[in-house]
Amino acid sequence: METFAEILLHAFEHAFIDTLKLVPFLFVTYLAMEALEHYASSKSIAAVRRAGIAGPVIGALLGVVPQCGFSAAAATLYSARVITLGTLFAVFLSTSDEMLPIMIAAQAPAGFIAEVLAIKALCGLIAGFAIDVVLRLRHHAVEAMRIRDLCERDHCGCDDEDDAPSALSDACQKHEESAANCIDDWGAEYSNEEERGAELACASDERHEHDYVHAHNSSHGHAHGFGAIAKSSLVHTLQVTLFIFLVSLALEIVIDGVGEDALASFISANSNLSVVVSAIVGLIPNCAASVVLTELYLEGALSTGAMLAGLLVSAGVGLLVLFRANRPMHENFLIAAGLVACGVVFGFIVGVFGIAL
């Protein structure tokens, strides 16, 4: 029986290592978002939004990489509305977390591993496209990007050293907000005469700003702007990293105290409800969930449908980042519920058709 000090030390070690792996992903993601906010023109931003059509495909493929760094990055990007909701679901559902290393360590057949990864990616792809299509059919306009909102909420200080004039005038800001709200989930744009007038005003402001920035950069270079962006990205990364570490530490203490055996018993206690229970366990934002689910399946204590339901929902710390960064908060609970629903539906489909891997 481990003492509390041993449990605490073990939990600290695991939480620290797991959190440390995410830092590069978070920093690069925030760096890209800040650069998009500071340097990209309205046309470039519109191009990024149109690329959202292929988002679920890219997200489903990236998610199968054996770690949860991409799910954390996807949660951050969705919080700033850089990617679509369908892309977020595609990444979360296809994320393999610790499943792949456990299967390799157990010497599972390569064909079996490839099938599981392919099914997870396919489920993520189907769900992602379905969500985006439904939003499109409901004429749900893509929200304006919220990169600046994240900065203001986290007090990152990205504007503290910004001596250049505002990139856009009031007319330009209104045009950008309206244009962003008029780009639907498939990237289609709508315009009218009023918007055309605002666009001309915006173009005029951008020409004046370009002249100023060109002269400013000629004498001072780009170090000033990049320094502010790097500082802001670092502040964001440290804040989210601290949050993930503290929550991961608490979860590790609870799981180590209760024991993975107890978690395994809870999952396999009722075979009739194992699909639902596995999906709920998959919500635990910790690698223990995917480890237990994978081991139970390899031991024959869990059906294929139940295993798949849990592993589809298991997105690692992606959910933690989502709850930390995304607003409104009730949307995060709806997304979590949607993940469970997807896991249960796909798990039952596998069970009904008797699919065995």
Side-chain angles (χ1 to χ4, degrees):
M1 184 69 177
E2 287 184 309
T3 64
F4 180 74
E6 291 174 331
I7 291 176
L8 186 61
L9 181 62
H10 181 264
F12 184 91
E13 179 184 357
H14 272 259
F16 180 78
I17 293 175
D18 290 343
T19 304
L20 193 62
K21 295 176 182 177
L22 298 174
V23 173
F25 289 92
L26 291 172
F27 181 72
V28 171
T29 302
Y30 278 117
L31 200 63
M33 282 173 27
E34 291 290 343
L36 184 65
E37 170 72 11
H38 283 73
Y39 293 135
S41 66
S42 56
K43 290 183 179 179
S44 299
I45 292 174
V48 171
R49 306 306 292 271
R50 290 191 188 95
I53 299 174
V57 177
I58 299 171
L61 294 176
L62 289 177
V64 299
V65 178
Q67 41 69 42
C68 51
F70 286 113
S71 68
T76 303
L77 292 172
Y78 175 74
S79 299
R81 298 305 186 266
V82 176
I83 62 174
T84 66
L85 182 60
T87 303
L88 178 71
F89 267 78
V91 175
F92 276 13
L93 291 172
S94 64
T95 293
S96 60
D97 200 14
E98 296 298 322
M99 178 200 75
L100 186 56
I102 294 297
M103 287 186 175
I104 293 175
Q107 297 182 339
F112 165 75
I113 297 175
E115 287 179 350
V116 174
L117 292 175
I119 290 175
K120 280 175 62 64
L122 180 62
C123 290
L125 184 63
I126 293 172
F129 268 122
I131 290 170
D132 280 350
V133 167
V134 169
L135 292 177
R136 169 72 175 102
L137 293 176
R138 292 181 59 188
H139 304 288
H140 186 279
V142 173
E143 300 176 71
M145 288 196 295
R146 301 179 181 177
I147 301 174
R148 187 166 296 277
D149 291 346
L150 291 179
C151 292
E152 291 175 353
R153 190 168 67 242
D154 288 346
H155 304 291
C156 67
C158 60
D159 294 326
D160 289 348
E161 300 177 16
D162 191 6
D163 295 327
S166 174
L168 302 170
S169 66
D170 290 340
C172 181
Q173 289 178 6
K174 290 178 181 178
H175 163 67
E176 274 205 330
E177 291 171 1
S178 179
N181 287 326
C182 288
I183 300 175
D184 63 23
D185 291 308
W186 298 95
E189 291 189 57
Y190 304 95
S191 62
N192 51 42
E193 291 301 322
E194 183 179 343
E195 282 301 317
R196 177 60 179 166
E199 185 175 1
L200 291 174
C202 178
S204 176
D205 279 358
E206 284 181 328
R207 283 195 298 271
H208 287 300
E209 182 200 5
H210 179 271
D211 294 339
Y212 175 90
V213 172
H214 178 73
H216 180 78
N217 287 337
S218 296
S219 57
H220 297 287
H222 293 283
H224 172 79
F226 180 77
I229 289 175
K231 174 187 173 184
S232 173
S233 302
L234 184 60
V235 170
H236 280 301
T237 301
L238 291 176
Q239 290 177 338
V240 175
T241 299
L242 179 61
F243 174 79
I244 293 173
F245 172 73
L246 293 176
V247 176
S248 298
L249 179 61
L251 285 172
E252 286 286 353
I253 292 174
V254 172
I255 292 174
D256 285 353
V258 173
E260 291 187 3
D261 291 339
L263 184 60
S265 299
F266 173 71
I267 297 174
S268 57
N270 192 328
S271 58
N272 295 325
L273 294 176
S274 60
V275 171
V276 177
V277 173
S278 295
I280 294 174
V281 169
L283 281 177
I284 299 175
N286 183 279
C287 62
S290 59
V291 169
V292 171
L293 289 166
T294 304
E295 289 180 342
L296 284 177
Y297 177 77
L298 293 175
E299 292 170 3
L302 210 58
S303 67
T304 303
M307 177 271 293
L308 185 62
L311 291 180
L312 281 171
V313 180
S314 183
V317 298
L319 275 175
L320 280 185
V321 177
L322 187 71
F323 274 82
R324 169 63 178 78
N326 188 51
R327 295 296 181 273
M329 181 60 72
H330 74 268
E331 185 179 73
N332 301 325
F333 288 100
L334 292 176
I335 291 173
L339 287 173
V340 172
C342 288
V344 170
V345 168
F346 285 119
F348 275 128
I349 289 175
V350 169
V352 168
F353 286 96
I355 299 175
L357 301 178

